[in-house]
Amino acid sequence: MIALLALAATLQSAAIDWNGLAPLPYRAPPILTAEMQAFVQRQAVSRKCPLPKPGTITVEVAVLVDEANGIRTAVPRAIRCPTVEQYAAALVAGFARNNLLPRTNAAEQWYRVSLTFTWKP
């Protein structure tokens, strides 16, 4: 666990070629519920997170998938809103459990996911 946290911290501070990562191959795309949207709204507003558009926040997450199609780690891209970043990473890991398409390459591989949360400002 400590090694995974160290890896996540290193990757968050290192330059990740976000555009070079393939999209995470979900079987079924994740659905953000009203409760998830409301949680992010409360966190973003109460913590005064920078919002590029009022009522919208997007978090990109890099995901390391292991040989058995399991999630080794999920690293959020920093958006100056740590609570929302970590929440998005946890959601992505949960959405991916038993929900990935089979891969032809059995090696570990990095993917990306983008979650956009919206609400009425």
Side-chain angles (χ1 to χ4, degrees):
M1 181 66 170
I2 292 173
L4 285 179
L5 292 175
L7 173 65
T10 301
L11 287 172
Q12 203 165 22
S13 62
I16 294 175
D17 178 13
W18 291 90
N19 293 329
L21 297 177
L24 190 64
Y26 286 118
R27 285 182 197 271
I31 296 172
L32 296 172
T33 66
E35 292 81 13
M36 293 170 187
Q37 306 274 9
F39 176 81
V40 169
Q41 175 190 11
R42 286 191 306 274
Q43 293 303 309
V45 171
S46 70
R47 298 177 189 281
K48 297 179 176 47
C49 297
L51 302 175
K53 274 177 40 181
T56 302
I57 194 165
T58 298
V59 183
E60 291 180 302
V61 180
V63 181
L64 181 58
V65 177
D66 67 19
E67 301 86 2
N69 249 12
I71 303 301
R72 290 248 351 246
T73 190
V75 181
R77 188 174 199 173
I79 59 168
R80 296 184 1 223
C81 195
T83 304
V84 173
E85 294 165 17
Q86 293 304 313
Y87 182 65
L91 284 177
V92 166
F95 290 148
R97 263 187 216 98
N98 300 316
N99 187 28
L100 297 180
L101 292 170
R103 299 177 304 135
T104 56
N105 181 4
E108 287 185 340
Q109 184 173 344
W110 285 96
Y111 294 92
R112 71 176 157 76
V113 176
S114 182
L115 296 180
T116 299
F117 301 90
T118 58
W119 60 90
K120 291 193 184 272

